[in-house]
Amino acid sequence: MPKNFSKKRQPYLSVTLFSALLAIFVSGCAPSYKTPEGSRPWSAYLYGGERTNVSEDKITLPASISWTKDVSPFTLYDKYERQQLSSPAIVEGAIYVGSTNERLYSIKLDSGNVNWRFYAGYPMEAAPTAAGGLVCFGAGDGILRCLERATGKETWSYQAKSEIIASPLVKDGRIYVYSADDKVTALDIKTGEKLWSYVHGTYGAVAPRINAAPAAASGKNRIFQFFSDGAIVCLNADSGKAVWSKKIVRSFDTAAKIRRTPLLHGGNVYMIDDANIILALDQDTGELTNIFNVIKAYDFVITGKHSIVIAGLDQAVALDLVTGAILWKSELKYNPMSSIFAAGDYLFTVSNYKYAPLGISWLSRPKGYIQALDLKTGEAVWGKRLDSVITANASASEGRIALLMNDGHLQVF
């Protein structure tokens, strides 16, 4: 005769019900999160739709590690070098970050505690984008998903015909996504309904994997996208029709990491060509308006109205954006440089180098380094060695810096 568990379950159900009611009561009484005064969200890859990679948030130095969270995939043996490519988004006290362990995380910015995790089933190489109450991201299966930021519940998804390795752009009620088959697709942000697609028509036996995200300037119905044949194309945001196209890269023969996402500023779109020269093109016509050829550029930011900081593999140079006059130069002690970003009064450089204990070369191993330079003088004012190399770009908001390192550890300063 089977056992009767009904009576044994009753106390358990009562405790469960009590716990649920208590949780509701506590959450109802808990104060809602307040974003620090003057802080703005780092809601997308390279900060926002114009991809400036510059935050106005103040970062207090020296910075110290607040917490570290492991979001790496579990493997007994790594055949290939570990690498994480999804830079974090920071919005209203939460970090949203994707990992090659096939999960998107929502993590509390102040404590590192996980709010929720979403299993996508495929690695994520592109940064998520937070907009309104949604967080949207693509994965290796070519599916773009939009989730509720509060719960992680999926609201809708769209299946592209190729993998998505670039961060989506949200603007004026639409979401624009670039997929590896050289296609830009516009979707309704509320429903996921397809509005239009632009196929660049790149034909080649082998095409480079371009993680360049689409960019858009505020107040204009223009989308800018870099494609795998080396062309930057301006698209009409309403129709998806090409307005102009200009080829700036003839070959991808370098293994170094180079910024390929357009940067929009002051009516120009800025790009790095195949000679590592920064080109300024008119947003409306594509005509060349300026060039910056002081050092071989791998990354850059535009700070304020009249300053551009260019990063090479081992140095950073600040120029007057109008005259091209050099404002300062700074040698990077640890190199090669991986990426840069600006926050408040500082330029931050993220570098990778080989650390040799006691100077013994055969014991050397790769490490990372983050450094802060004074934006006015280029003087190094703070630095910190990291346990892992870094490929993904950093993010800075609400007085914090978030780094996803290649070993799968998300570290917040």
Side-chain angles (χ1 to χ4, degrees), residues 74-233:
F74 174 76
T75 56
L76 293 175
Y77 172 70
D78 287 325
K79 182 179 180 181
Y80 303 102
E81 179 185 358
R82 281 189 173 190
Q83 193 175 62
Q84 295 282 353
L85 298 171
S86 175
S87 61
I90 305 174
V91 181
E92 296 178 345
I95 292 181
Y96 302 93
V97 65
S99 170
T100 54
N101 75 358
E102 305 178 356
R103 290 164 176 82
L104 181 80
Y105 293 85
S106 170
I107 301 174
K108 294 183 185 298
L109 180 61
D110 57 356
S111 66
N113 294 331
V114 176
N115 295 316
W116 52 258
R117 56 176 62 84
F118 180 89
Y119 179 65
Y122 281 80
M124 279 160 272
E125 299 183 38
T129 298
L134 299 176
V135 56
C136 305
F137 66 97
D141 58 354
I143 297 179
L144 179 77
R145 294 179 172 91
C146 280
L147 315 179
E148 292 180 353
R149 281 205 297 116
T151 65
K153 179 181 178 182
E154 183 175 313
T155 60
W156 59 262
S157 65
Y158 172 80
Q159 177 68 68
K161 292 183 179 180
S162 185
E163 60 183 337
I164 298 173
I165 57 174
S167 183
L169 166 72
V170 175
K171 184 177 185 291
D172 299 334
R174 301 185 186 121
I175 183 166
Y176 303 89
V177 59
Y178 170 70
S179 49
D181 55 353
D182 267 336
K183 180 186 292 185
V184 177
T185 303
L187 308 167
D188 186 287
I189 187 64
K190 293 182 179 179
T191 64
E193 177 189 0
K194 179 179 174 181
L195 303 176
W196 54 257
S197 286
Y198 170 83
V199 181
H200 186 56
T202 301
Y203 303 102
V206 178
R209 298 174 84 247
I210 301 296
N211 63 352
S218 59
K220 292 187 176 182
N221 67 333
R222 296 286 187 267
I223 304 297
F224 299 87
Q225 179 66 53
F226 180 72
F227 291 93
S228 68
D229 67 342
I232 171 76
V233 179

Side-chain angles (χ1 to χ4, degrees), residues 295-407:
I295 60 172
K296 294 189 71 171
Y298 290 87
D299 200 0
F300 65 99
V301 294
I302 295 176
T303 59
K305 294 181 179 180
H306 304 296
S307 178
I308 181 171
V309 183
I310 304 171
L313 293 180
D314 57 5
Q315 64 179 315
V317 180
L319 306 173
D320 185 285
L321 191 61
V322 178
T323 66
I326 296 177
L327 304 176
W328 53 257
K329 285 185 178 182
S330 181
E331 300 295 324
L332 303 181
K333 180 180 179 181
Y334 297 91
N335 57 77
M337 181 278 308
S338 176
S339 62
I340 64 174
F341 68 97
D345 299 324
Y346 305 107
L347 175 80
F348 292 87
T349 65
V350 179
S351 302
N352 298 315
Y353 71 103
K354 285 190 176 182
Y355 170 68
L358 302 177
I360 304 174
S361 59
W362 60 271
L363 288 178
S364 66
R365 56 186 183 272
K367 293 279 188 177
Y369 191 80
I370 182 171
Q371 179 178 240
L373 306 178
D374 187 294
L375 268 174
K376 293 182 180 179
T377 65
E379 178 186 0
V381 294
W382 172 80
K384 177 70 174 177
R385 290 183 179 179
L386 307 169
D387 290 333
S388 171
V389 297
I390 301 174
T391 302
N393 289 72
S395 306
S397 181
E398 302 183 24
R400 310 291 180 98
I401 299 171
L403 293 166
L404 178 60
M405 297 182 286
N406 280 7
D407 65 359

Side-chain angles (χ1 to χ4, degrees), residues 226 230-232 246-250 271-274 279 281:
F226 180 72
I232 171 76
K246 192 177 188 70
K247 191 159 186 173
I248 61 171
V249 175
R250 290 164 293 182
M271 293 291 299
I272 300 176
D273 71 5
D274 52 357
L279 308 179
L281 308 174

